[in-house]
Every structure is written in C-alpha cells, then in structure tokens.
Coordinates of all heavy atoms in Angstrom, one line a residue:
M1 N 109.8 132.1 120.8 CA 110.2 131.6 122.1 C 111.7 131.5 122.1 O 112.4 132.3 122.6 CB 109.5 130.4 122.4 CG 109.6 129.9 123.8 SD 108.3 128.8 124.2 CE 108.8 128.2 125.7
G2 N 112.2 130.4 121.6 CA 113.6 130.2 121.3 C 114.6 130.3 122.5 O 115.7 130.5 122.4
D3 N 114.0 130.1 123.7 CA 114.9 130.2 124.9 C 115.5 128.8 125.2 O 116.3 128.7 126.2 CB 114.2 130.8 126.1 CG 113.0 129.9 126.5 OD1 112.8 128.8 126.0 OD2 112.2 130.4 127.4
G4 N 115.3 127.8 124.4 CA 115.8 126.5 124.7 C 115.3 125.8 125.8 O 115.8 124.7 126.2
R5 N 114.2 126.3 126.4 CA 113.6 125.6 127.6 C 113.1 124.3 127.2 O 112.6 124.1 126.2 CB 112.5 126.5 128.1 CG 112.5 126.5 129.7 CD 111.4 127.3 130.2 NE 111.7 128.8 130.0 CZ 110.9 129.7 130.3 NH1 109.7 129.5 130.7 NH2 111.3 131.0 130.1
A6 N 113.2 123.3 128.1 CA 112.8 122.0 127.9 C 111.6 121.6 128.8 O 111.6 122.1 129.9 CB 113.9 121.0 128.2
E7 N 110.7 120.9 128.3 CA 109.6 120.3 129.0 C 109.8 118.8 129.0 O 109.9 118.2 127.9 CB 108.3 120.8 128.5 CG 108.0 122.2 128.5 CD 108.0 122.8 129.9 OE1 107.5 122.1 130.9 OE2 108.4 123.9 130.1
V8 N 109.8 118.2 130.1 CA 110.0 116.7 130.2 C 108.7 116.1 130.5 O 108.0 116.5 131.4 CB 111.1 116.4 131.3 CG1 111.2 114.9 131.5 CG2 112.4 117.0 131.0
Y9 N 108.4 115.0 129.8 CA 107.1 114.3 130.0 C 107.5 112.8 130.3 O 108.1 112.1 129.4 CB 106.3 114.4 128.7 CG 106.0 115.8 128.3 CD1 106.8 116.4 127.3 CD2 105.0 116.5 128.9 CE1 106.6 117.8 127.0 CE2 104.8 117.8 128.6 CZ 105.6 118.5 127.6 OH 105.3 119.8 127.3
N10 N 107.1 112.4 131.4 CA 107.3 111.0 131.8 C 106.0 110.2 131.4 O 105.0 110.3 132.1 CB 107.5 110.8 133.3 CG 107.9 109.4 133.7 OD1 107.8 108.5 132.9 ND2 108.3 109.3 134.9
T11 N 106.1 109.6 130.3 CA 104.9 109.0 129.6 C 104.7 107.5 129.9 O 103.7 107.0 129.6 CB 105.0 109.2 128.1 OG1 106.1 108.5 127.6 CG2 105.0 110.6 127.7
G12 N 105.7 106.9 130.5 CA 105.7 105.5 130.5 C 106.2 105.1 129.1 O 106.4 105.9 128.3
R13 N 106.5 103.8 129.0 CA 107.1 103.4 127.7 C 106.1 103.6 126.5 O 105.0 103.0 126.5 CB 107.5 101.9 127.8 CG 108.5 101.5 126.7 CD 109.4 100.4 127.3 NE 110.5 100.2 126.4 CZ 111.6 101.0 126.3 NH1 111.6 102.1 127.0 NH2 112.5 100.8 125.5
S14 N 106.5 104.5 125.6 CA 105.6 104.8 124.5 C 106.5 105.3 123.3 O 107.6 105.7 123.5 CB 104.6 105.8 124.9 OG 105.2 107.0 125.3
I15 N 105.8 105.3 122.1 CA 106.5 105.8 120.9 C 105.7 107.1 120.6 O 104.5 107.1 120.3 CB 106.4 104.8 119.8 CG1 107.2 103.6 120.1 CG2 106.9 105.5 118.5 CD1 107.1 102.5 119.1
V16 N 106.4 108.2 120.5 CA 105.8 109.5 120.1 C 106.1 109.6 118.6 O 107.2 109.4 118.1 CB 106.5 110.7 120.8 CG1 106.0 112.0 120.2 CG2 106.1 110.6 122.3
N17 N 105.0 109.8 117.8 CA 105.1 110.0 116.4 C 104.5 111.2 115.9 O 104.3 111.4 114.7 CB 104.5 108.7 115.7 CG 103.1 108.5 116.0 OD1 102.4 109.3 116.5 ND2 102.7 107.2 115.9
G18 N 104.1 112.1 116.8 CA 103.6 113.4 116.4 C 103.2 114.3 117.6 O 103.1 113.8 118.7
F19 N 103.1 115.6 117.4 CA 102.6 116.5 118.5 C 101.9 117.6 117.8 O 102.0 117.9 116.6 CB 103.8 117.0 119.3 CG 104.8 117.8 118.6 CD1 104.7 119.2 118.5 CD2 105.9 117.3 117.9 CE1 105.6 120.0 117.9 CE2 106.8 118.0 117.3 CZ 106.6 119.4 117.2
Q20 N 101.2 118.4 118.7 CA 100.4 119.5 118.2 C 100.5 120.6 119.2 O 100.5 120.4 120.4 CB 98.9 119.1 118.0 CG 98.1 120.2 117.4 CD 96.7 119.7 117.1 OE1 96.2 118.8 117.9 NE2 96.0 120.1 116.1
I21 N 100.7 121.9 118.8 CA 100.8 123.0 119.7 C 99.6 124.0 119.4 O 99.2 124.2 118.3 CB 102.1 123.8 119.4 CG1 103.3 122.8 119.7 CG2 102.2 125.0 120.2 CD1 104.7 123.4 119.4
T22 N 99.1 124.5 120.5 CA 98.1 125.5 120.4 C 98.7 126.9 120.8 O 99.5 127.0 121.8 CB 96.9 125.2 121.5 OG1 96.3 123.9 121.1 CG2 95.9 126.3 121.4
T23 N 98.4 127.9 120.0 CA 99.0 129.2 120.2 C 98.4 129.8 121.5 O 97.3 129.5 121.9 CB 98.7 130.2 119.1 OG1 97.2 130.3 118.9 CG2 99.3 129.7 117.8
A24 N 99.2 130.6 122.2 CA 98.8 131.2 123.5 C 98.0 132.4 123.2 O 97.8 132.8 122.0 CB 100.1 131.6 124.3
N25 N 97.6 133.1 124.2 CA 96.8 134.3 124.0 C 97.6 135.6 123.9 O 97.0 136.7 123.9 CB 95.8 134.4 125.2 CG 96.5 134.7 126.5 OD1 97.7 134.5 126.6 ND2 95.7 135.1 127.5
D26 N 98.9 135.5 123.9 CA 99.7 136.7 123.8 C 100.3 136.9 122.4 O 99.7 136.6 121.4 CB 100.8 136.6 124.9 CG 101.7 135.4 124.8 OD1 101.6 134.6 123.8 OD2 102.6 135.3 125.6
A27 N 101.5 137.3 122.3 CA 102.1 137.8 121.1 C 102.6 136.7 120.2 O 103.3 135.7 120.7 CB 103.3 138.7 121.4
Q28 N 102.4 136.8 118.9 CA 102.8 135.8 117.9 C 104.3 135.7 117.9 O 104.8 134.6 117.7 CB 102.3 136.2 116.5 CG 102.7 135.3 115.4 CD 102.3 135.7 114.1 OE1 101.7 136.8 113.9 NE2 102.6 134.9 113.1
E29 N 105.1 136.7 118.1 CA 106.5 136.6 118.1 C 107.1 135.8 119.2 O 108.3 135.4 119.2 CB 107.2 138.0 118.1 CG 106.8 138.9 119.3 CD 105.6 139.7 119.2 OE1 104.8 139.6 118.2 OE2 105.3 140.6 120.1
R30 N 106.3 135.4 120.2 CA 106.7 134.5 121.2 C 106.5 133.0 120.9 O 106.9 132.1 121.6 CB 106.0 134.8 122.5 CG 106.5 136.2 123.1 CD 105.7 136.5 124.4 NE 105.4 135.4 125.2 CZ 106.0 135.1 126.4 NH1 106.9 135.9 126.8 NH2 105.6 134.0 127.1
D31 N 105.8 132.7 119.8 CA 105.6 131.4 119.4 C 106.9 130.7 119.0 O 107.8 131.3 118.4 CB 104.6 131.3 118.2 CG 103.2 131.7 118.6 OD1 102.9 131.8 119.8 OD2 102.4 131.9 117.6
P32 N 107.0 129.4 119.3 CA 108.2 128.7 118.8 C 108.2 128.5 117.3 O 107.2 128.4 116.7 CB 108.1 127.3 119.5 CG 106.6 127.2 119.8 CD 106.1 128.5 120.0
A33 N 109.4 128.5 116.8 CA 109.6 128.3 115.3 C 110.4 127.1 115.0 O 110.4 126.6 113.8 CB 110.3 129.6 114.7
A34 N 111.1 126.5 116.0 CA 111.8 125.3 115.7 C 111.8 124.4 117.0 O 111.7 124.9 118.1 CB 113.3 125.6 115.3
W35 N 112.0 123.1 116.8 CA 111.9 122.2 118.0 C 112.9 121.0 117.8 O 113.4 120.8 116.7 CB 110.5 121.6 118.0 CG 110.0 120.9 116.8 CD1 109.5 121.5 115.7 CD2 110.2 119.5 116.4 NE1 109.3 120.6 114.7 CE2 109.7 119.3 115.1 CE3 110.7 118.4 117.1 CZ2 109.7 118.1 114.5 CZ3 110.7 117.2 116.5 CH2 110.2 117.0 115.2
A36 N 113.1 120.4 118.9 CA 113.9 119.1 118.9 C 113.3 118.2 120.0 O 113.0 118.7 121.1 CB 115.4 119.4 119.2
L37 N 113.1 117.0 119.6 CA 112.5 116.0 120.6 C 113.5 115.0 120.9 O 114.2 114.4 120.0 CB 111.3 115.3 119.9 CG 110.5 114.3 120.8 CD1 109.9 115.0 122.0 CD2 109.5 113.5 120.0
Y38 N 113.7 114.7 122.2 CA 114.6 113.8 122.7 C 113.9 112.7 123.6 O 112.8 113.0 124.1 CB 115.6 114.5 123.7 CG 116.5 115.5 123.0 CD1 116.0 116.8 122.8 CD2 117.8 115.2 122.6 CE1 116.8 117.8 122.2 CE2 118.5 116.2 121.9 CZ 118.0 117.4 121.8 OH 118.8 118.4 121.1
G39 N 114.5 111.5 123.7 CA 113.9 110.5 124.5 C 115.0 109.9 125.4 O 116.1 109.9 125.1
T40 N 114.5 109.3 126.5 CA 115.4 108.6 127.5 C 114.7 107.5 128.2 O 113.4 107.6 128.4 CB 116.0 109.6 128.5 OG1 117.1 108.9 129.2 CG2 115.0 110.2 129.5
D41 N 115.4 106.6 128.7 CA 114.9 105.5 129.6 C 115.5 105.7 131.0 O 115.2 104.9 131.9 CB 115.2 104.1 129.0 CG 114.4 103.8 127.8 OD1 113.2 104.2 127.8 OD2 114.9 103.1 126.9
D42 N 116.3 106.8 131.2 CA 116.8 107.1 132.5 C 115.7 107.5 133.4 O 114.7 108.1 133.0 CB 117.9 108.2 132.4 CG 119.1 107.8 131.7 OD1 119.3 106.7 131.3 OD2 120.0 108.7 131.5
A43 N 115.9 107.3 134.7 CA 115.0 107.9 135.7 C 115.2 109.4 135.6 O 116.3 109.9 135.5 CB 115.4 107.4 137.1
I44 N 114.1 110.2 135.7 CA 114.2 111.7 135.7 C 114.6 112.2 137.0 O 113.8 112.0 138.0 CB 112.9 112.3 135.2 CG1 112.5 111.7 133.8 CG2 112.9 113.8 135.1 CD1 113.5 111.9 132.7
I45 N 115.7 112.9 137.1 CA 116.2 113.5 138.3 C 116.3 115.0 138.2 O 116.5 115.7 139.2 CB 117.5 112.9 138.9 CG1 118.6 113.0 137.9 CG2 117.2 111.4 139.3 CD1 120.0 112.5 138.4
S46 N 116.2 115.5 137.0 CA 116.3 117.0 136.8 C 115.0 117.6 137.4 O 113.9 117.0 137.4 CB 116.3 117.3 135.3 OG 117.5 116.8 134.7
S47 N 115.2 118.8 137.9 CA 114.0 119.5 138.5 C 113.1 120.0 137.4 O 113.5 120.2 136.2 CB 114.5 120.6 139.3 OG 115.2 121.6 138.6
N48 N 111.8 120.2 137.7 CA 110.8 120.8 136.8 C 111.3 122.1 136.3 O 111.9 122.9 137.0 CB 109.5 121.0 137.5 CG 108.8 119.6 137.7 OD1 109.1 118.7 137.1 ND2 107.9 119.6 138.7
H49 N 111.0 122.4 135.0 CA 111.3 123.7 134.4 C 112.8 123.9 134.3 O 113.3 125.1 134.3 CB 110.6 124.8 135.0 CG 109.1 124.6 135.2 ND1 108.3 124.5 134.1 CD2 108.4 124.4 136.2 CE1 107.1 124.3 134.5 NE2 107.1 124.2 135.8
S50 N 113.6 122.9 134.2 CA 115.1 123.0 134.1 C 115.4 122.6 132.6 O 114.5 122.3 131.8 CB 115.8 122.1 135.0 OG 115.6 120.7 134.7
T51 N 116.7 122.6 132.3 CA 117.1 122.2 131.0 C 117.2 120.7 130.9 O 117.4 120.1 129.8 CB 118.5 122.8 130.6 OG1 119.4 122.4 131.6 CG2 118.4 124.3 130.5
G52 N 117.0 119.9 131.9 CA 116.9 118.5 131.9 C 118.2 117.8 131.6 O 118.3 116.9 130.8
D53 N 119.3 118.4 132.1 CA 120.7 117.9 131.8 C 121.2 116.8 132.6 O 122.3 116.3 132.4 CB 121.7 119.1 131.9 CG 121.4 120.1 130.8 OD1 120.9 119.8 129.7 OD2 121.7 121.3 131.0
F54 N 120.4 116.2 133.5 CA 120.9 115.2 134.4 C 120.7 113.8 133.8 O 121.0 112.8 134.4 CB 120.4 115.3 135.8 CG 120.9 116.5 136.5 CD1 120.1 117.5 136.8 CD2 122.3 116.5 136.9 CE1 120.6 118.6 137.5 CE2 122.8 117.6 137.6 CZ 121.9 118.7 137.9
E55 N 120.0 113.7 132.7 CA 119.7 112.4 132.0 C 120.4 112.3 130.7 O 120.9 113.3 130.2 CB 118.2 112.3 131.8 CG 117.3 112.3 133.0 CD 117.1 113.7 133.6 OE1 117.2 114.7 132.9 OE2 117.0 113.8 134.8
N56 N 120.6 111.1 130.2 CA 121.2 110.8 128.9 C 120.0 110.8 127.9 O 119.2 109.9 127.9 CB 121.9 109.5 128.9 CG 123.0 109.4 129.9 OD1 123.9 110.2 129.8 ND2 123.0 108.5 130.8
W57 N 120.0 111.8 127.0 CA 119.0 112.0 126.1 C 119.4 111.6 124.7 O 120.5 111.9 124.3 CB 118.5 113.4 126.1 CG 117.8 113.8 127.3 CD1 118.4 114.5 128.4 CD2 116.5 113.6 127.8 NE1 117.5 114.7 129.4 CE2 116.4 114.1 129.0 CE3 115.4 113.0 127.2 CZ2 115.2 114.1 129.7 CZ3 114.2 112.9 127.8 CH2 114.1 113.4 129.1
T58 N 118.5 111.0 123.9 CA 118.8 110.6 122.5 C 117.9 111.6 121.6 O 116.7 111.6 121.8 CB 118.4 109.2 122.2 OG1 119.1 108.3 123.1 CG2 118.5 108.8 120.8
L59 N 118.6 112.3 120.7 CA 117.8 113.1 119.8 C 117.0 112.2 118.8 O 117.5 111.3 118.2 CB 118.7 114.0 118.9 CG 118.0 114.8 117.9 CD1 117.1 115.8 118.5 CD2 119.1 115.5 117.0
I60 N 115.7 112.4 118.8 CA 114.8 111.6 118.0 C 114.5 112.3 116.6 O 114.7 111.7 115.6 CB 113.5 111.4 118.7 CG1 113.7 110.6 120.0 CG2 112.4 110.7 117.8 CD1 112.5 110.6 120.9
D61 N 114.2 113.5 116.7 CA 113.8 114.3 115.5 C 113.8 115.8 115.8 O 113.8 116.1 117.0 CB 112.5 113.8 115.0 CG 112.2 114.1 113.5 OD1 113.1 114.7 112.8 OD2 111.1 113.8 113.0
S62 N 113.9 116.6 114.8 CA 113.8 118.0 115.0 C 113.3 118.7 113.7 O 113.3 118.0 112.6 CB 115.2 118.6 115.4 OG 116.1 118.4 114.3
G63 N 113.0 119.9 113.8 CA 112.5 120.6 112.6 C 111.9 122.0 112.9 O 112.0 122.5 114.1
S64 N 111.4 122.6 111.9 CA 110.7 123.9 112.1 C 109.2 123.7 112.2 O 108.7 122.6 111.9 CB 111.0 124.8 110.9 OG 110.6 124.2 109.7
I65 N 108.6 124.7 112.7 CA 107.1 124.7 112.9 C 106.5 126.0 112.5 O 107.1 127.1 112.8 CB 106.8 124.3 114.3 CG1 105.3 124.0 114.5 CG2 107.3 125.2 115.3 CD1 104.9 123.4 115.8
E66 N 105.4 126.0 111.8 CA 104.6 127.2 111.5 C 103.3 127.1 112.3 O 102.6 126.1 112.1 CB 104.4 127.3 110.0 CG 105.7 127.6 109.3 CD 105.4 127.8 107.8 OE1 104.3 128.4 107.5 OE2 106.3 127.4 107.0
L67 N 103.1 128.1 113.1 CA 101.8 128.2 113.8 C 100.9 129.2 113.3 O 101.3 130.2 112.6 CB 102.1 128.4 115.3 CG 102.9 127.3 116.0 CD1 103.3 127.8 117.4 CD2 102.1 126.1 116.1
P68 N 99.6 129.0 113.6 CA 98.6 130.0 113.1 C 98.8 131.4 113.7 O 99.4 131.5 114.8 CB 97.3 129.5 113.6 CG 97.5 128.1 113.9 CD 98.9 128.0 114.3
V69 N 98.5 132.4 112.9 CA 98.6 133.8 113.4 C 97.5 134.0 114.5 O 97.8 134.7 115.5 CB 98.4 134.8 112.3 CG1 98.3 136.2 112.8 CG2 99.5 134.7 111.2
D70 N 96.4 133.4 114.4 CA 95.3 133.6 115.4 C 95.7 133.0 116.7 O 96.4 132.0 116.8 CB 94.0 132.9 114.9 CG 93.4 133.6 113.7 OD1 93.7 134.8 113.5 OD2 92.7 132.9 112.9
R71 N 95.3 133.7 117.8 CA 95.6 133.2 119.1 C 94.7 132.2 119.6 O 93.5 132.1 119.1 CB 95.6 134.4 120.1 CG 96.5 135.6 119.7 CD 98.0 135.3 119.8 NE 98.5 134.5 118.6 CZ 99.6 133.8 118.6 NH1 100.3 133.7 119.7 NH2 100.0 133.1 117.6
L72 N 95.1 131.3 120.5 CA 94.3 130.2 121.1 C 93.8 129.3 120.0 O 92.6 128.9 120.0 CB 93.2 130.8 122.0 CG 93.7 131.6 123.2 CD1 92.5 132.2 123.9 CD2 94.5 130.8 124.1
T73 N 94.6 129.0 119.0 CA 94.3 128.2 117.9 C 95.2 127.0 117.7 O 96.5 127.2 117.9 CB 94.3 129.1 116.6 OG1 93.5 130.2 116.7 CG2 93.9 128.3 115.4
E74 N 94.7 125.8 117.5 CA 95.6 124.7 117.3 C 96.3 124.7 116.0 O 95.8 125.1 114.9 CB 94.7 123.4 117.3 CG 94.1 123.0 118.6 CD 93.3 121.8 118.6 OE1 93.0 121.3 117.5 OE2 93.0 121.3 119.6
G75 N 97.6 124.4 116.0 CA 98.4 124.3 114.8 C 98.2 122.9 114.2 O 97.5 122.1 114.8
D76 N 98.8 122.7 113.1 CA 98.8 121.4 112.5 C 99.5 120.4 113.3 O 100.5 120.7 114.1 CB 99.4 121.4 111.1 CG 98.6 122.3 110.1 OD1 97.4 122.4 110.3 OD2 99.2 122.8 109.1
V77 N 99.2 119.1 113.2 CA 99.9 118.0 113.8 C 101.3 117.9 113.1 O 101.3 117.9 111.9 CB 99.2 116.7 113.7 CG1 100.0 115.5 114.2 CG2 97.9 116.8 114.5
V78 N 102.3 117.9 113.9 CA 103.7 117.8 113.4 C 104.1 116.3 113.5 O 104.1 115.7 114.5 CB 104.7 118.7 114.2 CG1 106.1 118.5 113.6 CG2 104.3 120.1 114.1
D79 N 104.4 115.7 112.3 CA 104.9 114.3 112.3 C 106.3 114.2 112.8 O 107.1 115.0 112.5 CB 104.8 113.7 110.9 CG 103.4 113.6 110.4 OD1 102.5 113.3 111.2 OD2 103.2 113.8 109.2
V80 N 106.5 113.2 113.6 CA 107.9 112.9 114.2 C 108.3 111.5 113.7 O 107.6 110.6 113.7 CB 107.8 112.9 115.7 CG1 109.1 112.4 116.3 CG2 107.4 114.2 116.3
T81 N 109.5 111.5 113.1 CA 110.1 110.2 112.7 C 110.7 109.5 113.8 O 111.7 109.9 114.4 CB 111.2 110.5 111.6 OG1 110.6 111.3 110.5 CG2 111.8 109.2 111.1
N82 N 110.0 108.5 114.3 CA 110.4 107.8 115.5 C 109.8 106.4 115.5 O 108.6 106.2 115.3 CB 110.0 108.5 116.8 CG 110.4 107.8 118.0 OD1 111.4 107.1 118.1 ND2 109.6 108.0 119.1
D83 N 110.7 105.4 115.7 CA 110.1 104.0 115.9 C 110.6 103.3 117.1 O 110.5 102.1 117.3 CB 110.5 103.1 114.6 CG 112.0 103.0 114.4 OD1 112.8 103.6 115.2 OD2 112.4 102.4 113.4
K84 N 111.2 104.1 118.1 CA 111.7 103.6 119.3 C 110.9 104.1 120.5 O 110.7 105.3 120.6 CB 113.2 104.0 119.5 CG 113.9 103.3 120.7 CD 115.4 103.6 120.7 CE 116.1 102.9 121.8 NZ 115.5 102.8 123.1
A85 N 110.6 103.2 121.4 CA 109.9 103.6 122.6 C 110.8 104.1 123.7 O 111.9 103.5 123.8 CB 109.0 102.4 123.1
F86 N 110.5 105.1 124.4 CA 111.2 105.7 125.5 C 110.2 105.8 126.7 O 109.0 105.9 126.5 CB 111.8 107.0 125.2 CG 112.9 107.0 124.2 CD1 112.7 107.2 122.8 CD2 114.2 106.6 124.6 CE1 113.7 107.2 121.9 CE2 115.3 106.6 123.6 CZ 115.0 106.9 122.3
T87 N 110.8 105.9 127.9 CA 109.9 106.1 129.1 C 109.6 107.6 129.3 O 108.6 107.9 129.9 CB 110.5 105.5 130.3 OG1 111.8 106.0 130.5 CG2 110.6 104.0 130.2
S88 N 110.5 108.5 128.8 CA 110.4 109.9 129.0 C 110.8 110.6 127.8 O 111.8 110.2 127.1 CB 111.2 110.4 130.2 OG 110.7 109.8 131.4
Y89 N 110.2 111.8 127.5 CA 110.5 112.6 126.4 C 110.8 114.0 126.9 O 110.3 114.5 127.8 CB 109.4 112.7 125.4 CG 109.2 111.3 124.7 CD1 108.4 110.3 125.2 CD2 109.9 111.1 123.5 CE1 108.3 109.1 124.6 CE2 109.7 109.9 122.8 CZ 108.9 108.9 123.4 OH 108.8 107.7 122.7
R90 N 111.7 114.7 126.1 CA 112.0 116.1 126.4 C 111.8 116.9 125.1 O 112.4 116.6 124.0 CB 113.5 116.2 126.9 CG 114.0 117.7 127.0 CD 115.3 117.7 127.6 NE 116.4 117.4 126.6 CZ 117.6 117.7 126.8 NH1 118.1 118.3 127.9 NH2 118.5 117.5 125.8
M91 N 111.0 117.9 125.1 CA 110.8 118.8 123.9 C 111.5 120.1 124.2 O 111.3 120.7 125.2 CB 109.3 119.1 123.7 CG 109.0 120.0 122.6 SD 109.4 119.4 121.0 CE 108.0 118.3 120.7
V92 N 112.4 120.5 123.3 CA 113.2 121.7 123.4 C 112.8 122.6 122.2 O 112.8 122.2 121.1 CB 114.7 121.5 123.3 CG1 115.4 122.8 123.4 CG2 115.1 120.5 124.5
F93 N 112.4 123.8 122.5 CA 112.0 124.8 121.4 C 113.3 125.6 121.2 O 113.7 126.4 122.1 CB 110.8 125.6 121.8 CG 109.6 124.8 121.9 CD1 109.0 124.5 123.2 CD2 109.0 124.3 120.8 CE1 107.9 123.7 123.3 CE2 107.9 123.5 120.9 CZ 107.3 123.2 122.1
T94 N 113.9 125.4 120.0 CA 115.2 125.9 119.8 C 115.2 127.3 119.1 O 116.2 128.0 119.1 CB 116.0 125.0 118.9 OG1 115.3 124.7 117.7 CG2 116.2 123.6 119.6
E95 N 114.1 127.7 118.6 CA 113.8 129.1 118.1 C 112.5 129.6 118.5 O 111.5 128.8 118.5 CB 114.0 129.1 116.6 CG 115.3 128.9 116.0 CD 115.4 129.0 114.5 OE1 114.6 129.8 113.9 OE2 116.1 128.2 113.9

C-alpha cells in the first residue's frame, strides 16, 4: 500500500495497545508493510479519507508488519507501546 493514507478513528477517550489487520481479497503486493499510529485530543475537522493534517497529532508508536500470504485472512495482533488515552487515533500505512 504505502500511499501514506490515514484513517481516523474517533473512539472516545481510550488507550490503544494493539491492532489487527485482515488481508483483502486482491493482490498481496498491496498489503501494508509499515505503520505509524498517532493520537489526538483535538476535535476532528479533517475530511474523511484525507491525510488528517488539521489536527495536532502525537506519534504513539510505529513499526513493520508482516501479513499472511492468503487472502481474507487475519494477521497477528500487533502490540502497540502506549499508556496514554486519546479521543481520536490516526493510523498511517507508511509502506
């Protein structure tokens, strides 16, 4: 994937300490290989499917990810190092 697209999740105040990705039904080369997770307490004013640049984001954690070759298959849970609650999160797939 690697297009840097961000998905913003307004979760209410919570602590994210992991996530899991399921592979899509298309090509393996489109799967993300790296990620960065950000948090904010700002009100979300960025539009959906944007880069989310109108808020002040704090980098929480980042890393690489290996997903299964099989399609429509859950990957392993990825642990996130985080002990701070935020009201919204932004996941960016960097590769």
Side-chain angles (χ1 to χ4, degrees):
M1 191 162 170
D3 60 8
R5 220 179 287 175
E7 297 296 328
V8 175
Y9 304 96
N10 187 352
T11 62
R13 197 146 193 77
S14 61
I15 296 175
V16 171
N17 55 23
F19 65 91
Q20 185 175 34
I21 297 175
T22 300
T23 59
N25 65 345
D26 59 0
Q28 179 184 2
E29 59 271 10
R30 291 177 36 106
D31 290 348
W35 58 273
L37 180 67
Y38 298 83
T40 189
D41 288 322
D42 291 357
I44 302 300
I45 59 173
S46 295
S47 61
N48 287 338
H49 307 294
S50 72
T51 55
D53 291 334
F54 291 110
E55 297 78 29
N56 296 302
W57 295 98
T58 300
L59 177 63
I60 297 167
D61 200 0
S62 63
S64 60
I65 187 169
E66 292 185 33
L67 293 172
V69 174
D70 293 335
R71 304 292 80 202
L72 301 174
T73 303
E74 290 181 348
D76 293 334
V77 173
V78 178
D79 292 327
V80 173
T81 302
N82 179 31
D83 59 3
K84 185 173 186 323
F86 292 96
T87 55
S88 297
Y89 289 88
R90 174 174 78 162
M91 176 67 78
V92 179
F93 295 108
T94 57
E95 289 181 37

